[in-house]
Amino acid sequence: MKKPLIIVESPTKARTIKKFLPAKYTVKASVGHVRDLPKSTLGVDVEHDFVPKYLTIKGKGDVIKELKSAVKIASDVFLATDPDREGEAIAWHLAEILKLAEPKRIELHEITKEAAQHAIDNPHRIDMDRVNAQQARRILDRLVGYKISPLLWAKVRSGLSAGRVQSVAVKLIVDREREIQAFIKREYWTISAFLSAQGDSAPIIFPAELIAQNNEKIEIPDEARAKAILADLEGANYTVASVKKREVRRNAPGPFTTSTLQQEASRKLRLRVRRTMQIAQALYEGVDLGAEGTQGLITYMRTDSTRISDSARLAAREYIGQTYGENFYSGREFKVREGAQDAHEAIRPTSVHNTPQKMAGILKRDELRLYTLIWERFVASQMAAAVFDQTTVDIAARAYTFRATGSVLKFAGFTRVYEEGRDEDAAAKGDNEAQALEATGSAKGKQKPQIRLPELHEKDPLDCNKVEPKQHFTEPPPRYTEATLVKALEENGIGRPSTYSSIVETIQARGYVVQEDRRFAPTDIGVSVNDLLAEHFKDILDLHFTAQMESGLDKVAVGDEDWVGLLRNFYGPFAIELEEAEKKLPKLEIKDEPTDEICPNCGKPMVIKTGRFGRFISCTGYPECKTTKPILKDTGAKCPKDGGMVVERRSRKGRTFYGCANYPNCDFVSWDRVVPQPCPVCGSYVIAKTRRGGQTTLICAADKEHDVSAIAFSNDGTTQVSETDEREPVEA
């Protein structure tokens, strides 16, 4: 008897669906793409409407054979590949290669029994507009990569390659690095008075910042000006000039999109973009919940929409009302960002009743951390605003005006569940950044740190406990982290939810950028390639042009633009630029970076080179002498086993850990950074453990109850460009 056949991409998804659908269904996996453009040739006929030449992917023969056998005995074939353009294209390739006359396309936005049954009951045809949008993107990337890369091999260095979107990401990083190098720091000072109400038996001392002189905004450029102001304030009386009170509401952030999930997971959980997507994929494809069966825990994780379904909104309302009270529910709808595809819902739990507490004994550590983030963000997005009573007090002292601002939480609202993380850039700078921006008049809307104020009234006299001047310097713009790079890509319309992770990984794999202290810096080769492309292929590196191409692909996906026409409009000018570059481009010489090290084998100087896997130290006597060394970062700590140096290393999976520099003679390793100072109680080594939210605490490795608070710890720069060590710490 023939059975309906469902074909999905992932074996994990196939196993999940098999467990909750009736036995009459057969479920198979294509294991991703089955056809693609050839690797050895361009595979695109640019003379005849860019017709692509697709070949079966090497190694997929057995999978295709199994699928063909299953199709022969199937009553119906449902193509349930991922619900996006890439998934649509895979469905089309499957239909072509399996010779399916009338395949039924179904989309699973969440892997649950109810969602699967609904999709099966409502199949549709393959959407050729979405397929053509994917084909156009693939061909665009192929044209750029296969046409420019040989030019880079000839003029710069063999093995280099260019990517249409990745090159723009490198440009952002190079441009930021040049801003940093060109930055000229400016000195400025702030003056704070520490005040209290007169007559209080237990006075509250609060800071107030000097903001004006003679009712004009004040700037303090140097120490001489600060000292002059302090002299003017000597013996001054401080009096409350005005008190203003108002209610301030802070709304919840929207549920996660792919971009905001990647950013927040980087900020709060310190997860790399690629790791975030791997975990999200596992949560989407299905988890065994024991008695409740196997099901997906979150909706599809590649989306740029903040929209949620009516059923999810209703479930959230019931949960919030029962758990926190009806007054905590808002049901706020979030405006979808302009330019978003809005093809799927936001990323949310498939059931709000699958709380993180319920999942604690089921999910792995990182799965639980990410799921908790998604669950909390979704629930918070449906909750009421937090309400604060804010008080702003202006204080007069002779010709000067000081200001203090305090606030009291009146209604917790969504903050009962969730607080949004800060970009590491802002966290690292702290209040100084706000002060620096305010000093230049560009800090409008920035919230100042909140303080506790006593009850004050106009004309109240105040006691001045001290007046404190502080020197500051403006800081250059920070290097991009993975989170802020993804944010910049999205804001500039570069890439789409399905591409952010691959962009971040590709630019590192090519050796164009490296991460230092979790921030991107361009390599010499990255700068050279960027400058070459910027000079000879202006459109390729132009942010506006790339964003327009993304918009064009979006129009193709909804049938508003012809995909062949889009390719033709791109390729005409590109071919001319390519021809000119081949004529004019000079041979570039990339110089190796010198070091103070001498090769221990031949005595020649050693230099820093950039290879496929990043930067490393190499002997200048190559190829006669093949001596190489990794670039290691010294933590300043001594190995607790043999007294050697503890250095930062990388595992084969790219995760940072710390080990003895004397490996393999010493096998000491730690996931957490070892600090130079020993425990003051027992003398054991101390580790710096980064908690959720980015807070770092010091813990004695021998006894976590030992008080190590007296140890000063600086969480300063460490590099991710280091040796791949065969040892890896065992996960606790």
Side-chain angles (χ1 to χ4, degrees):
M1 185 174 130
K2 290 192 172 185
K3 294 182 177 182
L5 170 65
I6 299 174
I7 303 177
V8 298
E9 290 177 51
S10 160
T12 303
K13 191 194 296 187
R15 288 192 292 270
T16 301
I17 294 171
K18 272 183 185 177
K19 288 179 180 178
F20 58 59
L21 281 184
K24 70 175 184 178
Y25 290 98
T26 302
V27 187
K28 298 286 184 181
S30 70
V31 197
H33 281 272
V34 290
R35 296 198 309 182
D36 197 8
L37 298 174
K39 288 187 175 182
S40 57
T41 60
L42 181 65
V44 178
D45 189 345
V46 296
E47 302 296 332
H48 299 91
D49 289 341
F50 304 94
V51 174
K53 178 184 178 182
Y54 291 116
L55 300 178
T56 301
I57 294 174
K58 187 177 180 180
K60 285 298 180 74
D62 290 343
V63 172
I64 293 170
K65 184 178 179 181
E66 182 182 352
L67 292 176
K68 284 182 175 179
S69 298
V71 166
K72 288 179 181 178
I73 57 172
S75 57
D76 289 295
V77 179
F78 296 92
L79 300 176
T81 47
D82 283 352
D84 57 14
R85 296 176 196 172
E86 206 72 25
E88 203 74 27
I90 293 174
W92 176 69
H93 284 297
L94 284 168
E96 292 282 304
I97 209 166
L98 298 176
K99 295 180 171 54
L100 303 177
E102 294 184 4
K104 295 179 178 179
R105 173 75 168 116
I106 60 174
E107 299 182 26
L108 300 176
H109 297 272
E110 56 186 71
I111 311 299
T112 60
K113 183 177 181 179
E114 295 76 15
Q117 195 59 61
H118 181 268
I120 291 168
D121 292 341
N122 296 275
H124 55 80
R125 292 182 177 181
I126 292 173
D127 187 338
M128 286 308 299
D129 289 328
R130 289 167 73 179
V131 172
N132 289 335
Q134 189 275 343
Q135 289 196 99
R137 176 185 291 280
R138 186 75 184 93
I139 292 169
L140 277 171
D141 292 343
R142 173 56 64 99
L143 291 173
V144 172
Y146 274 53
K147 292 291 186 178
I148 296 181
S149 295
L151 192 62
L152 296 179
W153 303 340
K155 303 295 185 179
V156 186
R157 179 182 290 173
S158 63
L160 297 178
S161 58
R164 182 180 61 87
V165 179
Q166 294 88 342
S167 296
V168 179
V170 174
K171 175 179 167 54
L172 288 172
I173 294 167
V174 171
D175 287 350
R176 177 59 57 87
E177 193 70 16
R178 285 177 169 150
E179 285 182 63
I180 294 168
Q181 292 169 356
F183 182 82
I184 300 173
K185 67 180 181 181
R186 182 176 63 81
E187 179 184 10
Y188 70 99
W189 288 66
T190 58
I191 294 177
S192 298
F194 290 81
L195 309 167
S196 58
Q198 287 186 3
D200 282 359
S201 56
I204 297 171
I205 298 175
F206 61 92
E209 187 178 333
L210 178 62
I211 62 166
Q213 181 181 15
N214 296 320
N215 296 321
E216 297 287 335
K217 182 179 177 180
I218 194 166
E219 291 189 5
I220 312 173
D222 50 38
E223 186 177 14
R225 177 76 173 115
K227 284 183 175 179
I229 293 170
L230 292 176
D232 284 351
L233 287 167
E234 190 71 35
N237 294 321
Y238 291 78
T239 307
V240 175
S242 67
V243 179
K244 295 178 182 177
K245 295 184 177 182
R246 65 184 183 119
E247 186 178 271
V248 177
R249 303 173 68 84
R250 181 153 62 94
N251 289 321
F256 280 130
T257 63
T258 303
S259 168
T260 54
L261 175 62
Q262 291 170 349
Q263 292 172 50
E264 195 76 337
S266 177
R267 295 183 193 112
K268 283 192 163 186
L269 309 181
R270 296 178 73 85
L271 291 176
R272 296 191 61 191
V273 167
R274 181 181 181 183
R275 179 66 178 145
T276 296
M277 295 310 291
Q278 287 173 338
I279 299 168
Q281 182 94 28
L283 294 173
Y284 162 71
E285 290 185 344
V287 174
D288 187 351
L289 302 181
E292 296 180 35
T294 301
Q295 62 178 276
L297 289 183
I298 65 170
T299 53
Y300 192 56
M301 64 286 167
R302 296 187 183 97
T303 179
D304 55 8
S305 176
T306 48
R307 173 176 53 82
I308 62 170
S309 67
D310 291 339
S311 59
R313 193 182 304 281
L314 179 61
R317 179 174 188 168
E318 292 175 354
Y319 179 85
I320 292 167
Q322 292 170 4
T323 308
Y324 305 105
E326 287 294 335
N327 59 328
F328 275 84
Y329 176 76
S330 74
R332 180 173 166 225
E333 293 189 27
F334 293 85
K335 185 178 179 182
V336 177
R337 181 179 60 84
E338 186 178 348
Q341 297 171 36
D342 196 28
H344 321 290
E345 283 189 70
I347 304 170
R348 62 167 176 82
T350 54
S351 171
V352 73
H353 298 291
N354 286 330
T355 63
Q357 293 77 16
K358 186 178 176 182
M359 297 297 106
I362 298 171
L363 299 177
K364 298 174 184 176
R365 176 178 176 270
D366 281 350
E367 289 176 340
L368 180 61
R369 294 168 73 213
L370 191 67
Y371 180 75
T372 300
L373 200 65
I374 294 168
W375 187 93
E376 290 177 348
R377 177 84 166 219
F378 166 69
V379 172
S381 75
Q382 298 303 295
M383 294 178 72
V387 182
F388 299 84
D389 282 334
Q390 187 179 84
T391 303
T392 302
V393 181
D394 281 359
I395 297 132
R398 293 183 177 151
Y400 299 96
T401 302
F402 290 79
R403 177 168 292 170
T405 303
S407 67
V408 176
L409 181 65
K410 186 177 181 180
F411 176 65
F414 76 92
T415 62
R416 280 282 298 272
V417 174
Y418 184 82
E419 283 282 2
E420 195 169 17
R422 298 174 65 190
D423 278 327
E424 294 173 1
D425 305 337
K429 284 190 169 75
D431 302 334
N432 287 349
E433 181 192 42
Q435 293 166 352
L437 287 168
E438 188 163 334
T440 59
S442 58
K444 282 189 177 180
K446 268 208 174 280
Q447 288 188 341
K448 285 185 173 290
Q450 301 303 318
I451 56 176
R452 183 185 172 203
L453 296 177
E455 185 66 30
L456 296 171
H457 304 89
E458 191 174 330
K459 297 184 180 179
D460 280 356
L462 301 172
D463 288 330
C464 180
N465 296 272
K466 67 174 179 177
V467 180
E468 184 177 271
K470 277 190 178 180
Q471 182 188 40
H472 309 275
F473 292 93
T474 55
E475 296 182 15
R479 286 173 169 173
Y480 288 107
T481 61
E482 288 196 1
T484 56
L485 180 61
V486 167
K487 184 178 181 180
L489 291 170
E490 182 180 44
E491 288 176 346
N492 284 284
I494 308 301
R496 285 297 181 261
S498 60
T499 63
Y500 297 137
S501 176
S502 64
I503 291 170
V504 169
E505 292 301 317
T506 300
I507 61 177
Q508 295 176 85
R510 288 176 176 165
Y512 294 155
V513 302
V514 294
Q515 286 202 50
E516 298 175 359
D517 191 21
R518 301 182 77 236
R519 295 176 183 275
F520 287 114
T523 61
D524 291 342
I525 195 75
V527 172
S528 297
V529 170
N530 174 81
D531 292 350
L532 182 151
L533 295 177
E535 181 179 356
H536 297 280
F537 300 94
K538 290 182 172 58
D539 284 347
I540 297 296
L541 261 68
D542 183 76
L543 295 177
H544 181 66
F545 177 83
T546 306
Q548 279 187 322
M549 291 302 299
E550 295 290 357
S551 178
L553 291 169
D554 292 345
K555 290 177 181 177
V556 171
V558 295
D560 290 343
E561 186 165 339
D562 174 57
W563 70 288
V564 175
L566 181 143
L567 291 171
R568 190 178 292 120
N569 291 337
F570 166 80
Y571 190 70
F574 174 68
I576 295 171
E577 286 183 336
L578 189 68
E579 186 177 352
E580 290 297 314
E582 289 172 342
K583 293 177 184 176
K584 297 178 181 180
L585 192 63
K587 177 79 174 175
L588 298 181
E589 182 182 353
I590 307 299
K591 294 183 178 180
D592 296 320
E593 185 179 335
T595 72
D596 295 331
E597 294 193 46
I598 300 299
C599 177
N601 293 324
C602 72
K604 291 185 178 179
M606 300 192 79
V607 294
I608 296 176
K609 290 180 175 287
T610 301
R612 283 185 66 190
F613 304 105
R615 287 158 35 105
F616 63 96
I617 298 173
S618 174
C619 178
T620 53
Y622 181 86
E624 289 78 16
C625 179
K626 294 182 172 60
T627 303
T628 61
K629 290 175 60 178
I631 297 175
L632 301 175
K633 176 74 180 218
D634 178 11
T635 63
K638 297 293 183 183
C639 174
K641 278 197 170 184
D642 70 352
M645 180 195 306
V646 175
V647 294
E648 182 185 297
R649 298 183 181 274
R650 283 182 76 185
S651 72
R652 284 169 292 180
K653 295 181 179 179
R655 183 173 176 183
T656 299
F657 69 98
Y658 302 89
C660 181
N662 294 331
Y663 174 79
N665 296 325
C666 177
D667 62 357
F668 171 77
V669 287
S670 169
W671 281 123
D672 301 299
R673 185 176 181 187
V674 182
V675 304
Q677 300 89 340
C679 174
V681 179
C682 69
S684 180
Y685 69 96
V686 175
I687 58 173
K689 200 164 190 69
T690 302
R691 306 282 186 188
R692 181 179 176 184
Q695 182 182 5
T696 300
T697 56
L698 299 179
I699 300 173
C700 172
D703 190 335
K704 65 180 181 181
E705 299 301 322
H706 286 172
D707 182 11
V708 294
S709 58
I711 295 176
F713 172 63
S714 174
N715 191 21
D716 57 0
T718 57
T719 176
Q720 287 190 327
V721 184
S722 55
E723 178 179 26
T724 298
D725 199 320
E726 292 303 314
R727 300 166 303 157
E728 293 184 24
V730 177
E731 191 73 65

